[in-house]
Amino acid sequence: MEFEEARRKYIQTWGALGSQWGINKTMAQIHALLMISTEVLSIEEIMEELQISRGNASMNIRALIDWGIVFKESKAGERKEFFSAEKDLDKLAVTIARERSKREIKPALRILKEVSSIKTSSSKAEKQFAEQTKNLYDFVLKADNVLDKVTQYNENWLSKLVVRLIK
């Protein structure tokens, strides 16, 4: 496989995987492109490479910046904005895990806590509902606490964890 074909395949595949970690295909493709770029890229370069509109590129770059995995850069003598991506996979994994927790798990926990604390009558259905949602809340809270602990390690936590699992 030639370099350009491999590059395109990587960007397409990363785009398809994006939905698995909570972002859309274009957002993931922009991230993939920036991750493998040796230089910072302008929005025009991103648009041309991915064949997307300015609005689509701009909206998705803003979202990636909000996630904390893409950064705005400047070049001396240039008025354009340029962009780069976090290339350290450990930092990237931690950032994504924290963002997913903030955006998905924490809101789910709030709802589970609210619905599991309903006042129940003697109804079997109500008691079952309260018990099941309380158990689910407890489980998700434990999982989120584990995720918080794991992401507190700043240096090579993912690599160390994988090595431990393999041994």
Side-chain angles (χ1 to χ4, degrees), residues 41-94:
L41 298 178
S42 69
I43 195 165
E44 291 79 12
E45 291 167 318
I46 294 167
M47 290 167 44
E48 182 179 327
E49 176 72 33
L50 300 177
Q51 296 297 297
I52 58 175
S53 69
R54 178 175 298 279
N56 195 5
S58 179
M59 176 184 67
N60 283 296
I61 290 168
R62 258 193 321 275
L64 287 162
I65 290 169
D66 289 345
W67 272 77
I69 58 176
V70 165
F71 313 100
K72 201 181 287 191
E73 308 272 338
S74 56
K75 282 186 178 180
E78 290 277 353
R79 291 180 60 191
K80 292 181 189 178
E81 293 178 333
F82 294 87
F83 304 94
S84 65
E86 178 61 63
K87 294 183 189 304
D88 182 308
L89 296 178
D90 290 329
K91 287 180 183 176
L92 181 63
V94 167

Side-chain angles (χ1 to χ4, degrees), residues 1-162:
M1 183 180 297
E2 297 294 322
F3 171 69
E4 280 304 316
E5 182 184 354
R7 192 170 168 277
R8 277 192 299 276
K9 190 172 191 171
Y10 164 75
I11 291 169
Q12 291 299 318
T13 302
W14 195 257
L17 291 173
S19 63
Q20 301 299 311
W21 54 280
I23 66 171
N24 69 54
K25 180 181 176 183
T26 303
M27 201 167 149
Q29 287 177 331
I30 292 170
H31 182 250
L33 175 62
L34 291 171
M35 275 183 56
I36 61 172
S37 295
T38 57
E39 300 288 326
V40 294
L41 298 178
S42 69
I43 195 165
E44 291 79 12
E45 291 167 318
I46 294 167
M47 290 167 44
E48 182 179 327
E49 176 72 33
L50 300 177
Q51 296 297 297
I52 58 175
S53 69
R54 178 175 298 279
N56 195 5
S58 179
M59 176 184 67
N60 283 296
I61 290 168
R62 258 193 321 275
L64 287 162
I65 290 169
D66 289 345
W67 272 77
I69 58 176
V70 165
F71 313 100
K72 201 181 287 191
E73 308 272 338
S74 56
K75 282 186 178 180
E78 290 277 353
R79 291 180 60 191
K80 292 181 189 178
E81 293 178 333
F82 294 87
F83 304 94
S84 65
E86 178 61 63
K87 294 183 189 304
D88 182 308
L89 296 178
D90 290 329
K91 287 180 183 176
L92 181 63
V94 167
T95 303
I96 291 169
R98 285 183 181 150
E99 279 299 308
R100 292 210 58 193
S101 175
K102 181 176 84 178
R103 294 168 185 255
E104 299 167 26
I105 297 172
K106 301 272 192 265
L109 280 170
R110 281 192 295 276
I111 292 168
L112 285 169
K113 186 174 186 176
E114 179 184 346
V115 299
S116 67
S117 21
I118 62 167
K119 293 182 182 182
T120 60
S121 64
S122 58
S123 160
K124 184 178 177 180
E126 288 179 17
K127 287 179 183 175
Q128 159 91 31
F129 175 81
E131 182 181 340
Q132 192 63 39
T133 55
K134 170 83 170 77
N135 290 341
L136 186 55
Y137 170 80
D138 291 342
F139 177 79
V140 174
L141 182 61
K142 285 176 192 170
D144 192 45
N145 287 337
V146 167
L147 185 60
D148 284 344
K149 296 259 186 284
V150 169
T151 59
Q152 285 174 2
Y153 295 106
N154 290 331
E155 207 172 293
N156 298 321
W157 70 270
L158 184 61
S159 304
K160 289 176 186 174
L161 180 63
V162 169

